[in-house]
């Protein structure tokens, strides 16, 4: 599940993606426009800056801006930066794997196998979605379109 930290980070990035190129925004402005607690946003934006997603500038004309075009920032990277692995359980993670205490054979565990498929599907969508697409309303890959789910 996406945490508040991840949600607020995505909201702030959408806010910055809508700015004209080269323009910056102060944390207080982003926080007010998106109803995000300023102290929490300070921490989130610092993490995103340290991950290379944002840049900050001090002084007159200062504030935060995207470090590169929104079309080059992947949502999967943002969520992993703020919330950690995408896998719904640790034993299905590629980067933070931990065997479950109650598991005797991870290779045949039906829960792990199923959650690995869930992880792969989430990763496929989030790693292909850019911030520009996300800010415009997201994308649905052809195999998950509404017509195929309903029909």
């Amino acid at each position: 599940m996406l945490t508040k930290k991840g949600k607020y980070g995505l909201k702030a990035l959408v806010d910055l993606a809508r700015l004209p190129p080269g323009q910056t925004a102060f944390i207080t402005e982003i926080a007010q426009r998106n109803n995000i607690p300023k102290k929490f946003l300070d921490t989130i934006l610092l993490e995103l800056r340290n991950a290379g997603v944002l840049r900050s500038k001090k002084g007159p004309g200062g504030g935060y801006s995207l470090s590169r075009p929104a079309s080059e920032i992947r949502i999967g990277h943002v969520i992993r930066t703020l919330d950690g692995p995408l896998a719904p359980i640790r034993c299905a993670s590629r980067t933070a794997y931990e065997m479950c205490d109650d598991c005797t054979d991870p290779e045949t565990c039906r829960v792990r196998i199923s959650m690995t498929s869930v992880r792969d599907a989430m990763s496929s969508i989030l790693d292909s979605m850019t911030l520009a697409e996300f800010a415009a309303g997201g994308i649905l890959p052809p195999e998950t379109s509404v017509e195929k789910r309903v029909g």
Side-chain angles (χ1 to χ4, degrees):
M1 182 181 320
L2 188 65
T3 65
K4 274 197 176 189
K5 183 179 181 183
K7 180 181 177 182
Y8 289 164
L10 290 170
K11 287 174 75 170
L13 289 175
V14 168
D15 188 280
L16 291 169
R18 292 183 173 154
L19 295 176
Q23 187 174 335
T24 61
F26 290 111
I27 289 179
T28 52
E29 298 169 336
I30 299 167
Q32 285 178 333
R33 284 193 295 256
N34 294 283
N35 198 27
I36 302 171
K38 185 195 169 298
K39 284 192 178 223
F40 196 19
L41 187 58
D42 282 334
T43 303
I44 294 167
L45 296 186
L46 181 62
E47 281 187 46
L48 291 170
R49 189 191 75 186
N50 290 341
V53 176
L54 298 177
R55 67 172 154 238
S56 61
K57 191 166 127 182
K58 293 184 179 190
Y64 278 92
S65 64
L66 300 177
S67 63
R68 55 192 183 275
S71 60
E72 296 176 15
I73 298 170
R74 300 285 170 184
I75 297 301
H77 172 68
V78 172
I79 293 173
R80 284 184 190 94
T81 296
L82 296 174
D83 284 349
L86 296 176
I89 55 177
R90 287 265 185 213
C91 67
S93 175
R94 284 190 180 136
T95 58
Y97 175 84
E98 286 181 24
M99 189 169 137
C100 298
D101 295 338
D102 61 337
C103 190
T104 56
D105 185 9
E107 296 303 314
T108 61
C109 176
R110 303 316 309 162
V111 174
R112 181 182 169 280
I113 292 167
S114 295
M115 291 299 111
T116 299
S117 295
V118 170
R119 178 213 59 213
D120 291 345
M122 288 176 57
S123 179
S124 174
I125 293 169
L126 296 173
D127 289 339
S128 64
M129 185 184 296
T130 68
L131 177 57
E133 292 166 333
F134 189 86
I139 58 169
L140 279 178
E143 64 273 4
T144 60
S145 67
V146 173
E147 297 82 29
K148 290 200 177 191
R149 281 186 276 150
V150 173

